[in-house]
Each structure stands twice: as structure tokens, then as C-alpha cells.
Amino acid sequence: MHLRMQLMKEMSEVMQRTGLPPMIVMREAVRAIGVIYRETADAHQGPGSCSCGWQPQEAADLDYLGRALLEASRQPRRRDLGAMQVLGTA
């Protein structure tokens, strides 16, 4: 939840600052996620790699990420006040 809020904040700021349309900013956000995946995968391969045990499987990992993007973008927006996220304090 926190990551989504941060991404939304950053994307909104980029759009306001640059005047770029939402789809361009979203494309850049997705590219950034791709670069983060590549850097993380590279850090988990070869000598001196991370010892956490994750072993990147590029085709499966990218399929998983693509499906997550599709799934999240197709979820209907919640309009129930009880399910809405609190954004500030009073």
C-alpha cells in the first residue's frame, strides 16, 4: 500500500512538473520497474551474489509481473467509504 501511494505521488509530481501525459509517465514507471528487476536479478546471479536464495527465472518472472499489471489494472475501483484508504489526519 505504501509503495503504491509513493508511486502515485511521484507520478503526479512528474506530470505537474513536466506536463507529460499520464501514459508517458506510466510507461516510464514501468521501464523503471524493468530496470529494477534487471539490477535485482543481476545481483542474485554469479559469484558474490546475494545469499537470500532467490534465483531469477527471467521468462517466468516477467510473465508474473505482466500478469500482475493486467490483474491490478482490471480491478474495479472501490467506492465504499469503509474500504477507502485514509490519506491524512484531522
Side-chain angles (χ1 to χ4, degrees), residues 1-10 85 87:
M1 186 78 71
H2 178 73
L3 184 56
R4 185 187 64 77
M5 288 176 14
Q6 282 298 115
L7 285 170
M8 180 64 86
K9 177 182 174 283
E10 292 297 326
Q85 179 181 352
L87 293 178

Side-chain angles (χ1 to χ4, degrees), residues 23-41:
M23 284 306 296
I24 301 296
V25 176
M26 283 188 236
R27 180 187 67 196
E28 293 306 312
V30 171
R31 285 182 174 172
I33 296 293
V35 170
I36 291 169
Y37 171 81
R38 176 80 279 135
E39 291 174 357
T40 305

